[in-house]
Amino acid sequence: TPSQVAAGSSSPSWSPETAPTSAYSSPARSLGDTGITPLSPSHIVNDADPDVSEQQSFLVVVAIDFGTTSSGYAYSFTKEPECIHVMRRWEGGDPGVSNQKTPTTILLTPERKFHSFGYAARDFYHDLDPNEAKQWLYLEKFKMKLHTTGDLTMDTDLTAANSKKVKALEIFAYALQYFKEQALKELSDQAGSEFENSDVRWVITVPAIWKQPAKQFMRQAAYQAGLASPENSDQLIIALEPEAASIYCRKLRLHQMIELSGKTAVNGYSGRDTVGAGFAQAKEHIRRNRQSRTFLVENVIGEIWSELEEGDKYVVVDSGGGTVDLTVHQIRLPEGHLKELYKATGGPYGSLGVDYEFEKLLCKIFGEDFIEQFKIKRPAAWVDLMIAFESRKRAAAPDRTNPLNITLPFSFIDYYKKFRGHSVEHALRKSNVDFVKWSSQGMLRMSPDAMNALFKPTIDSIIEHLRDLFQKPEVSTVKFLFLVGGFAEAPLLQQAVQAAFGDKCRIIIPQDVGLTILKGAVLFGLDPAVIKVRRSPLTYGVGVLNRYVEGKHPPEKLLVKDGTRWCTDVFDKFISADQSVALGELVKRSYTPAKPSQLVIVINIYSSEHDNVSFITDPGVKKCGTLRLDLTGTSGVAVPARREIQTLMQFGDTEIKATAVDIATSKSVKVGIDFLNY
C-alpha cells in the first residue's frame, strides 16, 4: 500500500464536516483530490541533461564584476580564449587610485531617469549646486543591500543619498544595462562592425555566501536589462566570486604572483627578499603593462598548480568591498576540475567596515547629530570626504611612520561652524581622540596607529573567520591560501593573514589581485564545465502525506480521508543542505495519483537552511515552487492502473529546475525554483 501522498492544492473538495476538527490549521488540510503517493524510492540519476551539453555558439564572453565599491568588465573572444581584455579606461578617475574598475555609483535625474554611472555619476553629482543636488538620486555601495535584506523581493527598496527610496531591481537593471551598452560599444569599435547582444555570453559574479534570493535577484535584474531572457537563460551564467578567482589562480605562473610566506625560496630568492624583490619585480611588470589592457592567460596549468596532486586542498579568501567569502576547493585530476569541499562561508567583513570605523571616528569628534545632518544637507561634500579617505586608506601600511592627511571639504568646515558655533579645530582639541590632530592646511592629520585602528575590527573578523574554518577537519590539510579581491591589496590585511596562518600553508596573492575575479569569470564563461561539484546551500523537498503512525506522528497532524488515516505536512527530502551536487545532476522521484479519477496533481516544493526537516510547517521552511499537472486529455490512451508521475529536480549554476512528467501521456510541466515571489 502506498505510504505517502504529496500534499496538494488549496481548493478543498470535501465538505468541512468530514474534516477532522483541530485548531491546528495547515496547508494540507484542504488536500482535495490532488494527492499522490510514491511508486518507488527516489534515486539520483547522474546522467546530466543532454540539452546541457549542446552549447550555443557565442562569439565572445563578457564577464561583469559588479562589486560593492567598484565594478568592471572583461571579455575574451571564443576564437582566442588565451587573450583576456579588461575594459577600456573610463572617463574620470581618482588621484592615487589606479585601476581598471570604476566606482559602483549611479545617478538618477529628479524624474528618476538613468543619468550616469561610475566616475561620471560622481563628478556630475559633485558639481551640482547643493540645493539642486537634493533633488537628484545618487546611490553608492548599494550591492550590500542584497546581502543584508532578510526578506528580499522584487519590490525591495534602496535609499539614495537624499533619503529618497527607489526600487532595487530598477537600480541593478540600470547598472547592468549600462555595462551591456559599454561592452557592446567597445566590442563593436574593436571589431569594426556592429556587435549584437545575441553574440555575447554574459557572466555576472556574485558572492558565494549570498542566499538564493539574492542570486535569483541578480538574474532577474539582468533579464530586465536585456542581457538574456528567461527563454534563453543559458546566455547568462551567474558565477560565484571565489570560484572565478580559483579558476584564475590555477593559471598563474610564478612571475604573476607574490608569495607572502617565507617558507620556501622562490626563483632563488629567500623568503625575506621575496616580498621586497617580488613586489619590485611586480611593480615593474605592472608599470610596463599599464598601457596594455590585454592579459595573456597561457594555456598551461601554472607552476603552483603543477605542485598540487590529486586531492590537494586550497582555500580562496575573496575579500572585497562588502563581503569576505571563504571557499575550500579540492583538485580532481587529470583535468584539474575543482570540487567544492566545504560550503562557502564568510560575512560582511569587507573594506566598507573600515569606512564605517572612519565615520564612527568623525561622529566621536564632531558629534553624531552633526554628521547625520551634514550627510543629508551636503550629500556631495560627504561623498568627497569619503573619496579623500579612500585614497589615504590605500596608503595605510604596517610599517608606515609618517601621518596620513585627509582633506576636509570647505563646506564641512563651514557647515560645522554654522551648526555648532565653534570651529572644527576647536572640536578636535576638545575631543579626547588621540592620534588625530588638525593641521594648519585644513586637514585631519591621522597617525598611522589611528589609521590602523580603523582597519582592526574588520581584519580581526576576517582572521577569526579563517581560524574557525581551519578548525574544520576538511580544511586541516590545506596547502595554499590564495588572497584575492580588492581588499587583498591592503598590506595590513596581507600581514595579518601571513602572521596568523603563514605556518599552516603557503599564502599567495595574484599580482593584479583586484582583477582576479574578473579574469576568472571570463575563463569560467569560456568553459563552464570546469566546476564539477558544488555543495547545495539548502535542503529541498516536497510536501507529502504519510500513513499516520500512532505514537510516531504528532496528533495535530492527523487527517482522516475516505477512511484512511494520514499524517499531513510531511517534508519529503530531495537533497540536503551541504550535500555534494554535481552540476546538471538530476534527482528523480516517481509518484502515482492517490485516486485514479484525479484530474489534477499539485506538488509544492519547499526549501530550508536546516538539514533535519520533518514537516513543511517547521520554522525556516519556505515554499519556493509549485508544479501543477493536468491529467485530463487521456482518452484513447491506455492508462495503467497505477499511473506514473515522475518528478525531477536538476541542479544548475545558481538555478534549480523542477519538472513533473505524466509518463502515460508524456505531458510535462516545468518550473524554476523561485525565492522571490512566494
Side-chain angles (χ1 to χ4, degrees):
T1 54
S3 61
Q4 306 175 310
V5 175
S9 83
S10 53
S11 50
S13 67
W14 74 95
S15 61
E17 295 82 358
T18 59
T21 48
S22 143
Y24 194 95
S25 98
S26 89
R29 271 294 157 265
S30 46
L31 182 75
D33 293 321
T34 56
I36 51 179
T37 75
L39 268 177
S40 63
S42 73
H43 55 291
I44 289 189
V45 186
N46 278 332
D47 50 338
D49 188 341
D51 313 347
V52 175
S53 53
E54 288 172 39
Q55 289 298 331
Q56 276 169 281
S57 53
F58 297 103
L59 298 178
V60 66
V61 170
V62 180
I64 299 174
D65 176 2
F66 193 129
T68 304
T69 45
S70 62
S71 297
Y73 65 85
Y75 57 93
S76 173
F77 294 100
T78 44
K79 292 241 186 317
E80 36 170 18
E82 59 291 338
C83 285
I84 296 178
H85 312 269
V86 176
M87 65 186 216
R88 51 184 168 203
R89 207 175 273 282
W90 292 7
E91 68 289 9
D94 286 344
V97 180
S98 75
N99 62 5
Q100 232 90 38
K101 288 168 153 187
T102 187
T104 309
T105 53
I106 194 166
L107 182 63
L108 308 188
T109 66
E111 296 75 44
R112 298 174 173 253
K113 290 278 169 280
F114 175 79
H115 180 274
S116 47
F117 186 91
Y119 291 116
R122 217 177 58 186
D123 298 346
F124 185 92
Y125 183 60
H126 167 79
D127 294 340
L128 286 168
D129 172 78
N131 286 321
E132 202 187 337
K134 285 181 217 161
Q135 305 308 313
W136 289 67
L137 292 98
Y138 178 79
L139 293 104
E140 56 178 0
K141 300 174 183 157
F142 47 85
K143 178 178 161 192
M144 274 305 277
K145 182 82 180 198
L146 297 198
H147 178 68
T148 52
T149 305
D151 48 353
L152 187 68
T153 68
M154 307 293 252
D155 293 321
T156 297
D157 284 326
L158 297 173
T159 309
N162 62 359
S163 321
K164 293 204 170 127
K165 298 243 189 286
V166 275
K167 291 273 171 275
L169 190 67
E170 222 161 280
I171 296 298
F172 279 82
Y174 274 145
L176 290 171
Q177 193 175 346
Y178 181 74
F179 278 113
K180 173 183 145 184
E181 284 162 13
Q182 291 291 320
L184 287 176
K185 203 158 85 200
E186 180 173 343
L187 289 168
S188 301
D189 290 352
Q190 264 216 326
S193 62
E194 208 47 39
F195 244 83
E196 298 296 327
N197 189 60
S198 55
D199 298 329
V200 181
R201 161 171 266 161
W202 296 97
V203 182
I204 299 175
T205 58
V206 301
I209 52 167
W210 270 15
K211 302 259 193 283
Q212 291 302 111
K215 293 174 184 170
Q216 184 186 335
F217 187 93
M218 212 48 160
R219 186 170 274 280
Q220 291 310 121
Y223 290 162
Q224 195 162 319
L227 273 69
S229 62
E231 301 71 51
N232 200 3
S233 60
D234 289 351
Q235 191 178 357
L236 168 67
I237 296 175
I238 302 279
L240 305 181
E241 287 162 10
E243 283 185 353
S246 185
I247 292 166
Y248 180 66
C249 288
R250 304 169 50 191
K251 300 273 190 186
L252 291 172
R253 308 302 299 266
L254 284 175
H255 65 79
Q256 293 170 305
M257 55 198 172
I258 297 145
E259 178 157 3
L260 286 185
S261 43
K263 282 172 59 174
T264 46
V266 179
N267 292 352
Y269 290 110
S270 73
R272 206 20 58 80
D273 322 328
T274 315
V275 176
F279 267 111
Q281 274 180 330
K283 283 212 170 90
E284 175 56 23
H285 179 77
I286 288 170
R287 199 183 56 71
R288 283 203 303 271
N289 280 0
R290 180 79 28 91
Q291 274 50 54
S292 136
R293 292 181 300 116
T294 302
F295 296 86
L296 281 172
V297 179
E298 297 165 66
N299 202 3
V300 296
I301 295 255
E303 284 100 337
I304 272 281
W305 228 249
S306 54
E307 296 180 27
L308 287 174
E309 292 140 32
E310 166 90 55
D312 274 353
K313 304 167 192 174
Y314 61 96
V315 180
V316 176
V317 179
D318 169 17
S319 47
T323 48
V324 170
D325 255 355
L326 315 177
T327 311
V328 186
H329 278 152
Q330 186 175 34
I331 310 290
R332 293 171 55 184
L333 297 177
E335 312 86 355
H337 284 145
L338 307 183
K339 173 178 180 183
E340 186 182 7
L341 264 200
Y342 184 74
K343 76 167 177 244
T345 59
Y349 317 127
S351 60
L352 277 187
V354 185
D355 301 353
Y356 291 137
E357 289 300 315
F358 178 60
E359 195 176 316
K360 270 166 42 187
L361 178 70
L362 292 175
C363 288
K364 201 166 158 190
I365 299 171
F366 302 108
E368 204 171 322
D369 53 344
F370 166 71
I371 297 294
E372 282 311 305
Q373 275 306 303
F374 180 68
K375 281 161 84 171
I376 294 165
K377 291 282 192 294
R378 300 278 185 276
W382 173 255
V383 170
D384 261 11
L385 176 55
M386 292 315 279
I387 291 166
F389 174 67
E390 178 71 27
S391 87
R392 299 330 294 144
K393 184 168 93 177
R394 288 169 183 267
D399 45 6
R400 190 183 172 105
T401 51
N402 48 339
L404 297 122
N405 292 325
I406 295 160
T407 312
L408 284 179
F410 171 72
S411 68
F412 185 97
I413 298 167
D414 185 49
Y415 190 68
Y416 184 76
K417 200 161 175 60
K418 283 195 187 115
F419 189 88
R420 283 270 191 263
H422 60 237
S423 70
V424 160
E425 199 176 344
H426 177 81
L428 271 161
R429 269 205 313 274
K430 208 174 54 122
S431 81
N432 43 14
V433 175
D434 300 341
F435 315 127
V436 184
K437 301 278 175 272
W438 177 246
S439 83
S440 52
Q441 297 91 23
M443 297 189 180
L444 281 183
R445 175 167 286 178
M446 292 182 76
S447 73
D449 289 348
M451 181 57 101
N452 297 0
L454 299 181
F455 277 81
K456 193 174 169 2
T458 302
I459 289 178
D460 288 352
S461 297
I462 294 173
I463 298 295
E464 193 182 335
H465 217 94
L466 272 164
R467 280 225 164 85
D468 290 350
L469 186 67
F470 273 94
Q471 299 301 306
K472 306 271 187 277
E474 307 96 313
V475 186
S476 51
T477 52
V478 160
K479 271 203 181 174
F480 294 100
L481 186 153
F482 289 103
L483 200 53
V484 303
F487 196 32
E489 291 167 5
L492 290 163
L493 177 61
Q494 295 176 1
Q495 187 205 37
V497 171
Q498 175 56 33
F501 306 105
D503 56 344
K504 294 195 173 55
C505 57
R506 288 169 64 184
I507 295 163
I508 288 171
I509 302 174
Q511 245 170 37
D512 40 349
V513 63
L515 298 173
T516 309
I517 290 165
L518 204 41
K519 296 178 193 171
V522 173
L523 293 169
F524 188 35
L526 291 165
D527 178 20
V530 61
I531 301 277
K532 277 288 186 275
V533 177
R534 284 223 179 107
R535 299 270 160 177
S536 173
L538 297 170
T539 298
Y540 292 99
V542 294
V544 303
L545 289 173
N546 272 358
R547 279 291 171 90
Y548 190 83
V549 180
E550 210 64 58
K552 175 184 163 193
H553 293 136
E556 68 272 18
K557 296 286 185 196
L558 173 64
L559 169 71
V560 181
K561 177 119 178 20
D562 301 338
T564 307
R565 294 159 64 83
W566 297 107
C567 174
T568 73
D569 302 339
V570 176
F571 184 100
D572 191 21
K573 204 185 289 185
F574 263 70
I575 198 149
S576 292
D578 214 19
Q579 195 174 328
S580 294
V581 193
L583 276 185
E585 184 160 272
L586 291 171
V587 182
K588 277 190 191 177
R589 299 264 157 114
S590 288
Y591 297 101
T592 188
K595 280 190 179 170
S597 60
Q598 247 170 259
L599 296 181
V600 69
I601 279 184
V602 176
I603 300 170
N604 287 319
I605 302 165
Y606 297 89
S607 68
S608 166
E609 289 182 16
H610 308 293
D611 263 354
N612 45 353
V613 186
S614 310
F615 295 101
I616 58 175
T617 49
D618 288 359
V621 177
K622 294 195 171 73
K623 182 165 160 187
C624 57
T626 300
L627 289 163
R628 189 178 288 269
L629 193 56
D630 179 4
L631 301 183
T632 54
T634 46
S635 52
V637 182
V639 178
R642 298 187 69 191
R643 183 170 185 172
E644 187 179 352
I645 308 292
Q646 241 180 29
T647 310
L648 311 160
M649 281 178 94
Q650 183 173 28
F651 296 83
D653 62 349
T654 50
E655 291 184 299
I656 295 164
K657 298 192 173 71
T659 315
V661 187
D662 178 2
I663 300 297
T665 61
S666 311
K667 201 184 273 190
S668 72
V669 286
K670 266 193 168 63
V671 63
I673 300 292
D674 183 346
F675 297 95
L676 292 172
N677 296 316
Y678 277 96

